Amino acid sequence: MGHQGAGKGFTGGQRLVAAGHAFVLAVALSACTGGTSSPGTAATPNPAGSGSSRTGQAAPPAPEVLQKLDVGLQLPWSVVFLPDGTAVVSERDSARLVGIKDGRATPIAEVPGVVPGGEGGLLGLAVSPSFASDRWLYAYLTSATDNRIVRMQLKEDADGPPGLGTPEVIFPGIPKASTHNGGRIRFGPDGMLYVGTGDSQRREQPQDTDALGGKILRLTPEGRPAPGNPFGDNPVYSYGHRNVQGLAWDAEGKLWASEFGPDVDDELNLILPGGNYGWPLVTGAPGRSGLTDAKVVWPSTSEASPSGLEIINGVAYTGALRGQRLWAVPLDGPTAGTPVAYFTGGYGRLRDVARAPNGDLWVLSNNKNPDFALILRSQP
């Protein structure tokens, strides 16, 4: 497909998998699901299914609940932090940005151009790495025609919450649907903007490196394909994804992503540039040549549906929607150990997980109406 926001069109030489498209379209999902490993077993080509940690690490300590902020949030989707510690939360259906500071919530503004519906609306947020000088706040949102990325300046106001400047569209054309919209955005250690997209119910897109659906994209802050991307002047960083929901980097600078499976095989993936993560050919970790296995697989989506992702002190924390729990996964280099579940059923659906500037871990509940934020100490 063509893309309006990438500048130059994608070249035909970037279609690394075009010869396999006919096969992709011919395969039924129920026949494509590969073998999986149980929660806690790092995915390997031949999963042992023992449920034991392969890292040798002890289970992560239970996070301590420091505070539950009942501040009247409505379907919050993402939380990010300004340098002064203010939390900024996006509300999916209302299209509002809400600021939270010192335990109090104040509406900032409604983002124009958002057309909510199904899983679409005002989704992921990201704060510019140079926010102190440029004051850019980035947002992934669903419009009337597509999913797109905009950036807006937060204007300082000494007497109240910051005001919101006019949104600038920097990357349109991401396909939309009632489900599978992706939506997570985050700046990496390299200063580039990483974007998790969904397949938007178009199963031909994830295996097509000229399409934007079912991908992790890597962009400059201005919305151009980032220099050094694996397919040239193309925003695609990795492909073969179904619905990416969380992005986070470990202390070694490696990118990890959480991803929804279909009715089986939710995933935690270690992302490699140019990697093919298999959808819709396979899910989980079947060990198929040419495809990248997940590092952790939850065979039952009722236990996971992993959403927001954060990594602190070698532990990956991901909120579970259907699973209604917080998963903690110890990491050791490229290996993931046994996931441990906390707060199962205690706080409902958990949508986002993010580290505050003071080191606390914030977790957003989702679909309680009103919703709330938990503040945790991740490593007591």
Side-chain angles (χ1 to χ4, degrees):
M1 66 176 267
H3 175 61
Q4 305 166 22
K8 298 180 182 179
F10 306 160
T11 67
Q14 293 160 354
R15 294 183 181 268
L16 300 183
V17 295
H21 285 177
F23 174 70
V24 173
L25 295 174
V27 178
L29 175 63
S30 61
C32 294
T33 308
T36 64
S37 53
S38 61
T41 302
T44 65
N46 296 296
S50 65
S52 60
S53 172
R54 303 175 68 90
T55 65
Q57 294 182 354
E64 176 188 356
V65 178
L66 300 178
Q67 194 173 4
K68 179 173 176 281
L69 296 177
D70 290 303
V71 290
L73 299 173
Q74 300 291 327
L75 291 175
W77 209 94
S78 178
V79 57
V80 294
F81 298 91
L82 305 183
D84 68 357
T86 298
V88 179
V89 176
S90 63
E91 293 184 338
R92 188 190 70 189
D93 289 1
S94 73
R96 290 195 315 165
L97 295 172
V98 179
I100 303 176
K101 190 173 184 180
D102 300 327
R104 296 185 297 273
T106 306
I108 296 174
E110 181 177 326
V111 177
V114 177
V115 180
E119 295 176 359
L122 182 59
L123 304 178
L125 302 176
V127 174
S128 167
S130 51
F131 181 85
S133 59
D134 62 34
R135 300 195 63 83
W136 285 120
L137 177 69
Y138 291 71
Y140 184 117
L141 61 85
T142 308
S143 76
T145 57
D146 59 9
N147 287 301
R148 54 182 54 191
I149 300 169
V150 304
R151 63 180 182 178
M152 308 155 282
Q153 286 190 315
L154 288 181
K155 300 178 180 180
E156 294 182 271
D157 186 344
D159 298 323
L164 188 68
T166 302
E168 173 190 346
V169 178
I170 66 164
F171 197 86
I174 302 169
K176 63 173 280 188
S178 59
T179 60
H180 306 189
N181 286 294
R184 195 65 61 188
I185 59 176
R186 195 161 187 180
F187 278 96
D190 58 0
M192 299 300 156
L193 183 65
Y194 291 74
V195 181
T197 74
D199 69 4
S200 64
Q201 304 177 20
R202 298 168 174 86
R203 291 189 182 179
E204 75 280 2
Q205 289 218 357
Q207 291 293 317
D208 181 356
T209 56
D210 284 356
L212 297 176
K215 305 295 190 300
I216 292 176
L217 311 176
R218 179 173 174 265
L219 308 174
T220 68
E222 295 74 34
R224 298 278 302 174
N229 278 359
F231 305 115
D233 189 25
N234 179 319
V236 173
Y237 189 72
S238 63
Y239 66 109
H241 298 288
R242 182 174 181 270
N243 197 11
V244 177
Q245 294 289 295
L247 300 169
W249 285 263
D250 62 22
E252 299 175 0
K254 294 188 295 294
L255 174 60
W256 296 76
S258 55
E259 181 168 347
F260 289 166
D263 55 348
V264 294
D265 296 351
D266 290 327
E267 299 176 352
L268 178 66
N269 287 300
L270 174 60
I271 303 301
L272 304 174
N276 181 354
Y277 290 80
W279 179 256
L281 294 170
V282 300
T283 62
R288 185 175 296 186
S289 177
L291 304 179
T292 305
D293 280 349
K295 294 296 183 178
V296 172
V297 181
W298 287 269
S300 172
T301 58
S302 65
E303 295 181 350
S305 297
S307 189
L309 179 68
E310 186 63 279
I311 299 174
I312 301 177
N313 296 331
V315 179
Y317 295 92
T318 183
L321 292 169
R322 288 189 64 197
Q324 298 189 21
R325 65 199 75 181
L326 179 71
W327 285 104
V329 183
L331 305 178
D332 184 7
T335 305
T338 304
V340 179
Y342 297 109
F343 313 127
T344 300
Y347 295 105
R349 293 159 53 90
L350 302 182
R351 169 63 75 178
D352 197 16
V353 183
R355 184 184 186 275
N358 67 358
D360 291 341
L361 193 66
W362 282 51
V363 180
L364 296 181
S365 76
N366 190 250
N367 215 26
K368 284 284 188 180
N369 289 326
D371 292 299
F372 52 85
L374 291 175
I375 303 179
L376 310 177
R377 180 178 291 124
S378 60
Q379 301 271 343

